[in-house]
Amino acid sequence: MPAIKPITQAAQDPWGNPVDATHTPHQPIPTERNANLDAIRGLAVLGIFFMNIYFMGISFYGYAPHQIPLLSDQVLEAFSNFFIEGRFISLFSILFGVGLYIQYQRFSDKGLAAYSLLRSRLKWLIVFGLIHGIIIWPGDILLTYGISGFLALCYRDASIAELKRKANIFIFSSLVVICLISIMGSDELFTRESPLFAEQYSAWTASYPNQLLLHVMQVGYMALVIPFTLMWFTGGLMLLGMALYRQGSFEQGFERNTLIKLVLASLVLSALDTLLGLTQNPTLVMFSDIIVMLSAIPTALIYIHILVKICQNRSTVLRPLQNVGKLAFSLYILQSIVGVFIFRHFAPELLLTLDRGGYMAMALGYSLLQLLLASLYLRYFHQGPLEKLWRQLAFKSINASSHLNSNNEQQKSQ
């Protein structure tokens, strides 16, 4: 591994190129868990539920506003546009890229078949995503991460400058395609009083076999569009994560000038998104949905900076948040199970009565429960149940494949 060079201010810029693009600095791979990454991952898994909770009942359309919007709904929607919407999915995507890079380097340093191991992990993640999306909740993101991970792995040895260049191309080109697809979408009004809401409510709260059919249709649709849209957007964020990790951003945060640029970009884009969303014009609202994906990126980077500065890679700081980060996969699936159970089976009438404030209160209460649950679980176990299963399946697959190849070679030599 190349010698580590000082991180310059130019290298600290998330979108800027390092001063010397031919000798880009590499972040050393730690032998122990990175407390900063665990804390950031914990924030991401808690934050993502504040967005996903709206889709746990009516999974395709999400929250149904009133025809005459409530003031409280508008205030909370604006708050969400600045601090929640898309932020934690982007954060997760960036972290996934960091994880891929760290795992690849660790496996390589141990003399293991790094690419084969990661390919096996991604294949199993796709399987988990399909099971999760079809059986439990069709708003799954694991399928997208699995597919996008293969794209990101293609650039595992690229320089920091190349990673950032590809990230920019992938992110902005995918937004153009998503915008074109959105233009062709339906403009049918979806409010609490609309016939479409009554139709969707009836469909998503029907018997489980009927819900299962809706799951298959939605996951099938996503499987068709992911290769043209989210694969590139999410893959671009993963490449950005790799670049930021290698330039030391997850250890040092960002320089002051870079942080100011991130804050300004976040505020301007979030304000534009909010203003377009409040117009109630279908075309402008569609554009606001695109802008929110873009505004989420600088906000996610600001969250990274804040947690890095607070935690400073100390396992004793923000420990409850770190505990959640260690169980991110298991807790993410548990969120879906709990949310779907409540809004479709236990109390579906909540979909008729809850406003944004009610959803926020439920998400906050469940976040506190997750903090307690994670800390309690890790007193007795060292790894989450799904994290452990994923690891075992990935290693078992690669070991079985290696054993089969070895037997084939022996048979050929006989």
Side-chain angles (χ1 to χ4, degrees):
M1 185 175 294
I4 302 170
K5 296 185 177 182
I7 305 299
T8 64
Q9 181 172 342
Q12 286 284 343
D13 189 338
W15 288 280
N17 292 332
V19 174
D20 187 351
T22 61
H23 294 87
T24 52
H26 286 258
Q27 184 72 359
I29 303 303
T31 56
E32 299 180 354
R33 290 191 71 98
N34 187 307
N36 291 344
L37 293 178
D38 281 335
I40 297 168
R41 192 179 297 110
L43 176 66
V45 76
L46 292 181
I48 203 171
F49 188 64
F50 281 83
M51 183 179 66
N52 287 348
I53 191 172
Y54 295 119
F55 295 84
M56 293 296 177
I58 300 175
S59 295
F60 192 80
Y61 287 92
Y63 181 73
H66 294 273
Q67 191 167 355
I68 301 177
L70 300 176
L71 177 60
S72 60
D73 270 11
Q74 291 179 318
V75 170
L76 287 174
E77 184 177 8
F79 175 83
S80 178
N81 288 341
F82 276 85
F83 300 105
I84 298 175
E85 191 73 23
R87 274 64 179 159
F88 301 105
I89 289 182
S90 294
L91 198 55
F92 251 135
S93 302
I94 292 170
L95 287 172
F96 198 92
V98 174
L100 282 177
Y101 178 77
I102 291 176
Q103 290 168 353
Y104 183 82
Q105 295 298 326
R106 279 181 177 169
F107 292 150
S108 297
D109 291 345
K110 294 178 180 179
L112 301 174
Y115 182 75
S116 296
L117 281 168
L118 289 179
R119 186 174 58 186
S120 179
R121 285 177 65 85
L122 292 173
K123 286 179 179 178
W124 278 107
L125 188 63
I126 290 173
V127 172
F128 279 119
L130 289 172
I131 294 172
H132 175 226
I134 294 174
I135 304 299
I136 303 173
W137 182 59
D140 168 79
I141 196 63
L142 303 179
L143 175 62
T144 300
Y145 283 175
I147 296 173
S148 302
F150 279 103
L151 174 64
L153 270 183
C154 294
Y155 301 93
R156 60 192 181 276
D157 295 321
S159 67
I160 293 177
E162 180 68 7
L163 288 171
K164 291 180 178 180
R165 189 177 73 85
K166 291 294 184 182
N168 289 333
I169 293 173
F170 291 167
I171 290 170
F172 288 102
S173 60
S174 66
L175 289 178
V176 171
V177 177
I178 293 172
C179 183
L180 293 175
I181 293 176
S182 299
I183 291 175
M184 296 183 293
S186 172
D187 292 338
E188 189 173 359
L189 189 65
F190 183 70
T191 64
R192 198 74 60 95
E193 298 81 13
S194 67
L196 179 59
F197 172 76
E199 173 189 314
Q200 290 291 310
Y201 174 79
S202 176
W204 287 101
T205 57
S207 64
Y208 179 71
N210 289 336
Q211 292 182 26
L212 199 61
L213 179 61
L214 293 175
H215 290 185
V216 171
M217 292 172 61
Q218 187 166 333
V219 172
Y221 169 77
M222 290 304 299
L224 289 175
V225 301
I226 284 173
F228 304 100
T229 55
L230 291 179
M231 180 184 77
W232 301 96
F233 182 79
T234 307
L237 291 175
M238 290 179 184
L239 296 183
L240 179 61
M242 291 180 181
L244 294 179
Y245 180 80
R246 286 174 56 181
Q247 71 182 29
S249 299
F250 287 90
E251 295 291 338
Q252 305 172 26
F254 300 105
E255 296 287 344
R256 183 173 181 273
N257 289 340
T258 300
L259 190 61
I260 292 174
K261 293 177 184 177
L262 292 174
V263 171
L264 290 175
S266 176
L267 289 175
V268 171
L269 291 172
S270 298
L272 180 59
D273 164 45
T274 300
L275 291 174
L276 292 178
L278 291 176
T279 63
Q280 304 299 315
N281 181 291
T283 302
L284 295 180
V285 170
M286 180 272 297
F287 279 113
S288 76
D289 292 338
I290 304 300
I291 294 174
V292 77
M293 297 177 69
L294 194 58
S295 67
I297 301 174
T299 311
L301 297 179
I302 293 170
Y303 290 162
I304 289 172
H305 175 85
I306 292 172
L307 289 183
V308 164
K309 291 300 184 181
I310 294 175
C311 190
Q312 296 184 17
N313 212 15
R314 294 172 292 179
S315 60
T316 56
V317 178
L318 302 176
R319 179 173 288 179
L321 203 58
Q322 292 185 44
N323 290 338
V324 171
K326 294 174 183 178
L327 303 176
F329 187 10
S330 298
L331 289 176
Y332 170 71
I333 298 298
L334 185 60
Q335 288 176 359
S336 299
I337 294 172
V338 172
V340 168
F341 173 74
I342 290 175
F343 289 108
R344 294 202 206 153
H345 304 284
F346 180 72
E349 64 276 6
L350 289 174
L351 297 173
L352 303 173
T353 59
L354 277 184
D355 297 320
R356 289 189 181 273
Y359 281 103
M360 282 282 190
M362 290 183 68
L364 179 61
Y366 189 66
S367 294
L368 295 175
L369 180 61
Q370 288 178 98
L371 289 166
L372 294 173
L373 180 62
S375 298
L376 180 63
Y377 180 90
L378 289 175
R379 289 185 182 180
Y380 304 98
F381 305 96
H382 298 293
Q383 193 175 27
L386 289 181
E387 285 80 0
K388 183 177 181 179
L389 177 61
W390 185 21
R391 180 183 179 86
Q392 288 177 340
L393 289 172
F395 274 94
K396 182 178 179 181
S397 297
I398 194 66
N399 288 338
S401 177
S402 299
H403 180 69
L404 179 61
N405 291 336
S406 176
N407 288 341
N408 291 338
E409 290 297 327
Q410 291 179 5
Q411 290 174 4
K412 290 179 181 179
S413 63
Q414 291 176 355

